Amino acid sequence: MLKELKKAVYEANMELPRRELITYTWGNVSGIDREKGLFVIKPSGVDYDKLKPEDMVVMDLQGNKVEGELNPSSDTATHLELYKAFEGVGGIVHTHSPMATSWAQAGRALPCYGTTHADYFYGEIPCARNLTEEEIREGYEKNTGKVIIETLKGRNPMYVPAVLCKNHGPFTWGTDAANAVHNAVVLEEIAKMNLMTEILNPSVVPAPQSMQDKHFLRKHGPNAYYGQNQS
Ligand SMILES: O=C(CO)[C@@H](O)[C@H](O)COP(=O)(O)O
């Protein structure tokens, strides 16, 4: 079942150590087939150098495992909440990438200081609040998803395909698993650049809105024209 999607999700997971976004098993990638109402996610706690495409776990949108020998990622319920809330999302990534996780631990949102950010994320990348004790007891991973959704209320999640979870780490998403990993790589680079920017200039302010609009909308807006798709 879903052999192609399992291969794509496996490849996306293997990109995390290749891009040095994870250490040991600190992360996970999933991808969804919305026509079948199923998604594929990395198994929990399996070393990446032992991972195989056939190890990927198939889940339904009620959170039931429908195929796979191994237990799904411990963050599966977070991925599921995001798939249910964000219709355009085809793939989701969670990592503990050092720089983005440092901003998350500091409880800081990532302001848009330049065009690198604006090419991928429209406006600041927010930091979600901590879960309450009750939310943790009720279901940590499910409510992590709900807090991410709450944090982006009123914003287009495909325009801001990332949220930092306070004291935890980043979640990113995209049109498919590979695109979600691409956004995770860019997020880590932005986190690095933002830290150095603030060290070089503690009074730095976000890039002008007109610059942010141009850079984001030329690639992702309704009349995108970037690259080779210029009329
Ligand atoms: O956020 C966490 C732990 O804090 C998880 O992302 C783990 O680091 C990866 O868990 P599995 O996907 O292997 O269950």
Side-chain angles (χ1 to χ4, degrees):
M1 181 191 291
L2 295 179
K3 188 175 178 185
E4 287 307 308
L5 182 57
K6 283 183 185 176
K7 182 89 168 63
V9 170
Y10 165 77
E11 287 299 337
N13 271 283
M14 296 310 291
E15 188 68 1
L16 297 185
R18 270 198 291 265
R19 294 286 186 165
E20 298 181 352
L21 289 184
I22 57 108
T23 302
Y24 298 126
T25 65
W26 305 346
N28 38 74
V29 183
S30 70
I32 189 168
D33 181 326
R34 291 191 180 274
E35 284 180 13
K36 293 185 171 65
L38 299 170
F39 68 98
V40 172
I41 194 163
K42 181 207 88 166
S44 183
V46 177
D47 288 347
Y48 279 83
D49 55 11
K50 297 186 177 64
L51 211 53
K52 302 184 297 298
E54 55 269 31
D55 293 335
M56 299 300 111
V57 184
V58 181
M59 307 292 296
D60 67 19
L61 298 185
Q62 288 71 48
N64 305 305
K65 180 169 76 170
V66 299
E67 185 182 278
E69 300 295 320
L70 303 171
N71 294 327
S73 167
S74 53
D75 293 309
T76 297
T78 306
H79 290 237
L80 176 54
E81 287 306 308
L82 299 183
Y83 281 130
K84 289 192 291 187
F86 299 160
E87 288 172 14
V89 169
I92 297 169
V93 175
H94 170 53
T95 76
H96 292 198
S97 60
M99 280 294 172
T101 300
S102 299
W103 284 77
Q105 291 181 167
R108 291 273 322 268
L110 283 162
C112 178
Y113 289 140
T115 59
T116 314
H117 180 132
D119 275 340
Y120 289 88
F121 304 94
Y122 198 42
E124 82 167 14
I125 296 164
C127 184
R129 66 170 171 84
N130 280 128
L131 273 62
T132 63
E133 295 301 322
E134 185 185 352
E135 286 170 332
I136 292 172
R137 278 195 304 276
E138 185 203 16
Y140 178 79
E141 291 77 14
K142 178 178 179 177
N143 285 318
T144 294
K146 290 189 180 302
V147 165
I148 289 171
I149 294 158
E150 168 196 296
T151 302
L152 283 181
K153 191 169 172 53
R155 299 179 73 180
N156 179 346
M158 297 312 282
Y159 276 24
V160 191
V163 167
L164 304 178
C165 292
K166 193 173 179 187
N167 301 117
H168 184 178
F171 280 82
T172 62
W173 48 88
T175 53
D176 59 17
N179 181 240
V181 170
H182 189 127
N183 287 332
V185 172
V186 174
L187 173 69
E188 182 68 1
E189 291 303 310
I190 287 168
K192 275 183 222 168
M193 288 190 272
N194 274 23
L195 175 61
M196 289 186 274
T197 300
E198 291 193 354
I199 291 168
L200 289 167
N201 177 7
S203 309
V204 63
V205 296
Q209 190 57 51
S210 56
M211 180 186 274
Q212 295 191 46
D213 291 352
K214 171 179 172 49
H215 275 267
F216 184 83
L217 298 174
R218 68 177 182 156
K219 292 183 85 170
H220 309 282
N223 304 308
Y225 59 88
Y226 178 76
Q228 300 311 310
N229 61 354
Q230 303 186 46
S231 48

